[in-house]
Amino acid sequence: MIYQVKYSRDYMYFVMGDLEILSIMPDFNLYDFGGDLSFEWLTPPGEFIKSDGGSIKLPDVACWGDTRPVLNAKAHERLAPFLNSFGEFLPVSVEGITYFMYNLKIQLGEEIVDTDNCKVVMQDGYQVDVDQMVFFNDKVNDDETPLFSVEFDRGVRLFCGDRFKNLIESEGLSGLTFEKV
Protein backbone atom coordinates (compact mmCIF):
# COMPACT_ATOMS: atom_id res chain seq x y z
CA MET A 1 0.00 0.00 0.00
CA ILE A 2 1.16 3.55 -0.74
CA TYR A 3 0.28 6.54 1.43
CA GLN A 4 0.71 10.27 1.17
CA VAL A 5 2.48 11.48 4.30
CA LYS A 6 0.90 14.61 5.75
CA TYR A 7 1.42 16.64 8.89
CA SER A 8 -1.38 16.42 11.41
CA ARG A 9 -3.37 19.56 12.10
CA ASP A 10 -3.78 18.27 15.67
CA TYR A 11 -0.25 19.52 16.42
CA MET A 12 1.68 22.76 16.12
CA TYR A 13 3.23 23.65 12.75
CA PHE A 14 6.97 24.06 12.17
CA VAL A 15 8.07 27.21 10.30
CA MET A 16 11.34 28.82 9.29
CA GLY A 17 11.60 32.28 7.79
CA ASP A 18 13.43 32.81 4.52
CA LEU A 19 15.18 35.94 5.82
CA GLU A 20 16.56 34.11 8.86
CA ILE A 21 17.81 31.27 6.66
CA LEU A 22 19.39 33.61 4.12
CA SER A 23 21.04 35.71 6.85
CA ILE A 24 23.15 32.74 7.95
CA MET A 25 23.27 30.82 4.64
CA PRO A 26 23.38 33.36 1.79
CA ASP A 27 23.86 30.58 -0.79
CA PHE A 28 20.73 28.74 0.42
CA ASN A 29 18.78 27.18 -2.45
CA LEU A 30 15.46 25.53 -1.68
CA TYR A 31 15.66 23.57 -4.94
CA ASP A 32 18.72 21.68 -3.67
CA PHE A 33 16.55 19.68 -1.29
CA GLY A 34 16.01 16.17 -2.54
CA GLY A 35 19.69 15.87 -3.46
CA ASP A 36 23.12 16.96 -2.35
CA LEU A 37 23.11 20.51 -1.03
CA SER A 38 25.27 22.95 -3.02
CA PHE A 39 25.77 25.15 0.04
CA GLU A 40 27.11 24.65 3.54
CA TRP A 41 24.27 23.86 5.95
CA LEU A 42 24.37 25.87 9.16
CA THR A 43 21.80 25.51 11.93
CA PRO A 44 18.96 27.92 11.15
CA PRO A 45 16.34 28.97 13.71
CA GLY A 46 12.79 27.71 13.39
CA GLU A 47 9.70 27.85 15.53
CA PHE A 48 6.46 26.07 16.21
CA ILE A 49 3.23 27.98 15.76
CA LYS A 50 -0.35 27.10 16.66
CA SER A 51 -2.16 24.92 14.15
CA ASP A 52 -5.18 26.18 12.26
CA GLY A 53 -7.29 24.58 14.97
CA GLY A 54 -5.33 26.35 17.71
CA SER A 55 -3.35 23.31 18.90
CA ILE A 56 -0.34 23.97 21.11
CA LYS A 57 0.78 20.32 21.29
CA LEU A 58 4.31 19.71 20.01
CA PRO A 59 4.65 16.81 17.56
CA ASP A 60 7.46 14.26 17.47
CA VAL A 61 7.57 14.71 13.70
CA ALA A 62 6.49 17.94 12.01
CA CYS A 63 7.05 19.05 8.43
CA TRP A 64 8.62 22.13 6.91
CA GLY A 65 6.56 22.42 3.79
CA ASP A 66 5.07 19.13 2.69
CA THR A 67 8.22 17.12 2.02
CA ARG A 68 10.77 17.89 4.72
CA PRO A 69 10.08 16.09 8.00
CA VAL A 70 11.40 17.79 11.14
CA LEU A 71 12.11 15.39 14.01
CA ASN A 72 12.56 15.93 17.72
CA ALA A 73 15.34 14.02 19.53
CA LYS A 74 13.09 11.04 20.32
CA ALA A 75 11.93 10.66 16.71
CA HIS A 76 15.48 11.16 15.42
CA GLU A 77 16.81 8.43 17.71
CA ARG A 78 14.12 5.98 16.61
CA LEU A 79 14.03 6.80 12.89
CA ALA A 80 17.66 7.57 12.05
CA PRO A 81 18.77 3.92 11.76
CA PHE A 82 15.93 3.36 9.29
CA LEU A 83 16.26 6.62 7.29
CA ASN A 84 20.03 7.24 7.18
CA SER A 85 20.55 5.44 3.89
CA PHE A 86 17.79 7.40 2.09
CA GLY A 87 18.81 10.95 2.96
CA GLU A 88 20.47 13.15 5.55
CA PHE A 89 19.54 14.88 8.80
CA LEU A 90 20.15 18.63 9.04
CA PRO A 91 20.05 20.40 12.41
CA VAL A 92 17.60 23.23 13.07
CA SER A 93 17.19 25.06 16.35
CA VAL A 94 13.96 25.92 18.15
CA GLU A 95 14.43 27.97 21.32
CA GLY A 96 17.87 26.41 21.86
CA ILE A 97 16.67 22.83 21.29
CA THR A 98 18.08 20.90 18.33
CA TYR A 99 15.62 19.31 15.92
CA PHE A 100 16.55 17.45 12.75
CA MET A 101 15.15 18.24 9.33
CA TYR A 102 15.30 15.27 6.99
CA ASN A 103 16.52 15.87 3.44
CA LEU A 104 15.09 12.89 1.55
CA LYS A 105 17.20 12.04 -1.50
CA ILE A 106 14.83 9.58 -3.18
CA GLN A 107 12.68 10.91 -5.99
CA LEU A 108 11.11 8.30 -8.24
CA GLY A 109 10.29 8.74 -11.93
CA GLU A 110 7.06 8.60 -13.88
CA GLU A 111 7.36 4.84 -14.45
CA ILE A 112 5.69 4.24 -11.07
CA VAL A 113 2.83 6.67 -11.76
CA ASP A 114 -0.34 5.62 -13.58
CA THR A 115 -0.49 8.93 -15.45
CA ASP A 116 -3.64 7.93 -17.36
CA ASN A 117 -5.62 7.77 -14.10
CA CYS A 118 -4.11 10.69 -12.19
CA LYS A 119 -6.21 13.83 -11.93
CA VAL A 120 -4.01 16.72 -12.97
CA VAL A 121 -4.71 20.44 -12.90
CA MET A 122 -3.85 22.16 -16.17
CA GLN A 123 -3.40 25.87 -16.76
CA ASP A 124 -2.58 27.36 -20.14
CA GLY A 125 -1.64 23.89 -21.40
CA TYR A 126 0.75 23.15 -18.52
CA GLN A 127 0.39 20.77 -15.58
CA VAL A 128 0.37 22.94 -12.46
CA ASP A 129 -0.76 20.42 -9.83
CA VAL A 130 -1.97 16.88 -9.25
CA ASP A 131 -5.29 16.51 -7.43
CA GLN A 132 -5.16 12.72 -7.30
CA MET A 133 -2.02 10.61 -7.60
CA VAL A 134 -2.33 7.01 -8.78
CA PHE A 135 0.60 4.60 -8.57
CA PHE A 136 1.43 1.22 -10.04
CA ASN A 137 1.81 -0.42 -6.62
CA ASP A 138 3.81 -3.32 -8.03
CA LYS A 139 6.49 -0.90 -9.28
CA VAL A 140 7.24 0.59 -5.84
CA ASN A 141 9.61 -1.51 -3.75
CA ASP A 142 8.89 -0.79 -0.08
CA ASP A 143 12.29 -2.24 0.93
CA GLU A 144 14.27 0.01 -1.42
CA THR A 145 12.10 3.13 -1.26
CA PRO A 146 10.09 3.21 1.98
CA LEU A 147 9.84 7.01 1.79
CA PHE A 148 9.89 8.94 -1.50
CA SER A 149 8.71 11.83 -3.62
CA VAL A 150 7.94 11.66 -7.34
CA GLU A 151 9.00 13.69 -10.36
CA PHE A 152 5.42 13.66 -11.73
CA ASP A 153 4.28 16.26 -9.16
CA ARG A 154 7.72 17.94 -9.04
CA GLY A 155 8.43 16.38 -5.65
CA VAL A 156 5.95 18.53 -3.75
CA ARG A 157 4.40 15.61 -1.82
CA LEU A 158 5.86 12.92 0.39
CA PHE A 159 4.83 9.28 0.01
CA CYS A 160 5.61 6.07 1.85
CA GLY A 161 4.88 2.39 1.94
CA ASP A 162 3.78 0.23 4.84
CA ARG A 163 7.28 -0.02 6.36
CA PHE A 164 7.57 3.69 7.19
CA LYS A 165 3.93 4.02 8.27
CA ASN A 166 4.20 0.96 10.52
CA LEU A 167 7.46 2.22 12.05
CA ILE A 168 5.93 5.60 12.93
CA GLU A 169 2.92 3.89 14.47
CA SER A 170 4.85 1.16 16.34
CA GLU A 171 7.20 3.76 17.85
CA GLY A 172 4.22 5.87 18.94
CA LEU A 173 5.51 8.98 17.15
CA SER A 174 3.04 11.84 16.82
CA GLY A 175 2.57 14.50 14.17
CA LEU A 176 1.99 12.66 10.89
CA THR A 177 -1.06 11.22 9.17
CA PHE A 178 -1.15 8.73 6.31
CA GLU A 179 -3.67 8.99 3.51
CA LYS A 180 -4.08 5.98 1.21
CA VAL A 181 -3.28 6.83 -2.38
Side-chain angles (χ1 to χ4, degrees), residues 32-36 67 69 82-88 102-109 111-112 135 139-161 163-164:
D32 278 357
F33 284 98
D36 294 322
T67 58
F82 178 77
L83 292 175
N84 274 333
S85 59
F86 307 109
E88 64 186 330
Y102 187 64
N103 179 27
L104 174 67
K105 294 184 178 184
I106 297 177
Q107 188 172 70
L108 301 179
E111 67 276 0
I112 68 160
F135 291 100
K139 293 187 178 184
V140 179
N141 184 328
D142 198 24
D143 292 326
E144 293 176 9
T145 54
L147 189 64
F148 60 94
S149 64
V150 291
E151 292 172 3
F152 186 71
D153 73 349
R154 296 177 310 282
V156 299
R157 292 171 183 83
L158 191 60
F159 299 96
C160 74
R163 282 182 63 206
F164 182 75

Side-chain angles (χ1 to χ4, degrees), residues 63-74:
C63 285
W64 184 49
D66 288 328
T67 58
R68 288 170 294 282
V70 177
L71 292 71
N72 66 14
K74 172 181 137 182

Side-chain angles (χ1 to χ4, degrees), residues 97-162:
I97 298 171
T98 300
Y99 286 77
F100 301 90
M101 182 167 44
Y102 187 64
N103 179 27
L104 174 67
K105 294 184 178 184
I106 297 177
Q107 188 172 70
L108 301 179
E110 282 193 28
E111 67 276 0
I112 68 160
V113 179
D114 183 352
T115 57
D116 291 336
N117 290 305
C118 290
K119 292 183 182 172
V120 298
V121 178
M122 303 294 289
Q123 185 175 25
D124 298 325
Y126 295 98
Q127 176 181 316
V128 295
D129 199 3
V130 180
D131 277 346
Q132 181 180 352
M133 186 72 74
V134 180
F135 291 100
F136 295 115
N137 285 332
D138 61 330
K139 293 187 178 184
V140 179
N141 184 328
D142 198 24
D143 292 326
E144 293 176 9
T145 54
L147 189 64
F148 60 94
S149 64
V150 291
E151 292 172 3
F152 186 71
D153 73 349
R154 296 177 310 282
V156 299
R157 292 171 183 83
L158 191 60
F159 299 96
C160 74
D162 288 316

Side-chain angles (χ1 to χ4, degrees), residues 14 26 46 51 59 61 79 93 132 166:
F14 177 80
S51 70
V61 183
L79 296 178
S93 178
Q132 181 180 352
N166 292 342

Side-chain angles (χ1 to χ4, degrees), residues 9-10 37 39 43 61-62 71 74 77 81 114 140 154 168:
R9 288 170 167 53
D10 294 335
L37 302 181
F39 56 92
T43 306
V61 183
L71 292 71
K74 172 181 137 182
E77 178 184 313
D114 183 352
V140 179
R154 296 177 310 282
I168 293 289

Side-chain angles (χ1 to χ4, degrees), residues 163-179:
R163 282 182 63 206
F164 182 75
K165 177 184 178 290
N166 292 342
L167 180 60
I168 293 289
E169 291 172 350
S170 69
E171 293 293 340
L173 299 174
S174 64
L176 298 179
T177 62
F178 300 92
E179 183 179 296

